[in-house]
Amino acid sequence: MSTTTFPLVERKGHWLTGCLRAFREDRLAFLAESARIAPIVKFRLGHRAVYVGSFQSSSRGLRRLCCIM
């Protein structure tokens, strides 16, 4: 069985608040944009690091998100 590795991409935000402002303005659009950037994205909401993993479901062509805080 082979494993696939993906690079971790970090979204830059404000030095103090991270990506909190963009996340508050439109959460769904922010997460959808993060899913389009890379399969695994890290960003900060204030002092918390958040990781979003996305993968495409092969059966329906839908993109699914998993968020870990």
Side-chain angles (χ1 to χ4, degrees):
M1 175 188 235
S2 66
T3 59
T4 306
T5 60
F6 298 103
L8 175 66
V9 176
E10 185 171 356
R11 288 186 70 162
K12 300 293 181 185
H14 188 265
W15 67 272
L16 181 62
T17 60
C19 296
L20 188 59
R21 179 181 222 170
F23 185 77
R24 278 186 170 175
E25 288 175 2
D26 191 355
R27 292 178 183 166
L28 184 58
F30 180 82
L31 292 174
E33 182 182 337
S34 295
R36 280 192 296 271
I37 292 173
I40 302 172
V41 179
K42 176 186 175 187
F43 56 90
R44 288 186 315 107
L45 296 178
H47 66 283
R48 291 189 162 228
V50 180
Y51 296 87
V52 173
S54 65
F55 63 93
Q56 190 157 358
S57 176
S58 60
S59 61
R60 298 184 199 142
L62 300 175
R63 185 163 288 278
R64 298 174 188 242
L65 294 173
C66 176
C67 185
I68 301 171
M69 294 179 99

